[in-house]
């Protein structure tokens, strides 16, 4: 079996079982297991695995893997959970929607939305506490904002003009 596959399998196991906050710590764990890797290699592996930094239970940023879905990306329940757990505000603008999250949560939310293949979403861009949702050409941001708010377990307040509006 190729070394890369073994290393990535070990890395995935590590991220599912430990709260690791830095690539240096990942390197230490991999070296203990007999893998000789560089920081650049670990960075590529994290990208290949879809790892993102999220707030761990202790409040610090840690690497995490996307939850496994049914093979076709994130499921409806996962989207609802992520939106309910991390969505603070929604601001539509043209064919864009800005989603505000607590610090460190934007990457996981964006990854979930991308993997879910939400109808009308062309893609997302994430910062630390903000996700930019780019809607498809025929999907207005205000419609997507209402759709995402309705998916959230605890929907955030929309700006005044969008409360109670219908699509």
């Amino acid at each position: 079996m190729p070394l890369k596959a073994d290393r990535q399998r070990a890395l995935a196991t590590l991220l599912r079982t430990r709260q690791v906050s830095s690539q240096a710590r990942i390197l230490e764990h991999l070296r203990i297991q007999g893998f000789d890797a560089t920081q650049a290699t670990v960075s590529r592996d994290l990208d290949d695995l879809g790892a993102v930094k999220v707030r761990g239970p202790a409040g610090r940023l840690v690497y995490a893997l996307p939850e496994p879905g049914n093979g076709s990306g994130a499921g409806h329940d996962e989207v609802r959970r992520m939106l309910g757990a991390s969505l603070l505000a929604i601001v539509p603008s043209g064919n864009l929607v800005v989603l505000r999250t607590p610090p460190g949560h934007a990457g996981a939310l964006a990854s979930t939305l991308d993997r879910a293949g939400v109808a009308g979403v062309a893609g997302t861009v994430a910062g630390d506490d903000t996700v930019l949702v780019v809607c498809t050409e025929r999907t207005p941001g205000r419609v997507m904002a209402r759709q995402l708010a309705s998916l959230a377990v605890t929907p955030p307040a929309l700006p005044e003009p969008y409360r109670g509006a219908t699509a």
Side-chain angles (χ1 to χ4, degrees):
M1 182 165 295
L3 179 63
K4 179 178 179 178
D6 291 338
R7 186 183 61 248
Q8 287 186 351
R9 189 180 297 78
L11 177 56
T13 300
L14 172 67
L15 297 181
R16 287 191 178 103
T17 59
R18 309 278 305 255
Q19 300 287 309
V20 186
S21 61
S22 71
Q23 291 183 12
R25 296 288 295 157
I26 291 171
L27 277 170
E28 289 175 24
H29 285 286
L30 290 175
R31 286 185 178 136
I32 290 169
Q33 295 179 47
F35 294 99
D36 186 28
T38 65
Q39 183 275 328
T41 300
V42 168
S43 181
R44 283 189 298 271
D45 286 347
L46 289 167
D47 189 49
D48 288 350
L49 294 171
V52 293
K53 276 205 161 182
V54 299
R55 288 254 175 239
R60 67 184 177 138
L61 290 175
V62 296
Y63 284 100
L65 296 176
E67 291 181 25
N70 56 9
S72 62
H76 185 74
D77 289 341
E78 183 180 352
V79 172
R80 290 182 67 82
R81 272 193 311 277
M82 283 299 298
L83 286 168
S86 60
L87 191 58
L88 299 177
I90 301 175
V91 180
S93 177
N95 75 322
L96 306 172
V97 181
V98 176
L99 306 177
R100 303 280 186 203
T101 71
H105 288 223
L109 177 57
S111 176
T112 300
L113 291 173
D114 287 338
R115 290 181 300 108
V118 176
V121 173
T124 64
V125 178
D128 182 54
D129 62 356
T130 305
V131 176
L132 176 65
V133 178
V134 180
C135 302
T136 57
E137 191 172 320
R138 297 182 185 261
T139 304
R142 62 183 164 67
V143 171
M144 181 56 61
R146 281 194 298 275
Q147 179 181 343
L148 294 173
S150 72
L151 286 173
V153 175
T154 308
L158 288 171
E160 191 60 42
Y162 298 99
R163 289 187 190 142
T166 58

